[in-house]
Amino acid sequence: MSPELCPAGGVPRSDPALAPLTVEERSGVAGVSDRRYRIGIPVCSPPATTAVR
């Protein structure tokens, strides 16, 4: 899963903390910038359950 943040003021390339999160891809959505922040979130599998008798 990777939520994307599209700040109204744009995405500065010079910010060293946010630069690794910056992606530039065609958004395909009117009003959404092609340059935005993408934050990867690891998705864990649900815990395995064992039937108990």
Side-chain angles (χ1 to χ4, degrees), residues 13-37:
R13 294 177 191 250
S14 60
D15 188 325
L18 298 174
L21 304 175
T22 304
V23 294
E24 191 156 351
E25 296 176 347
R26 183 173 166 85
S27 71
V29 178
V32 174
S33 173
D34 289 341
R35 191 172 351 131
R36 54 201 178 273
Y37 300 118

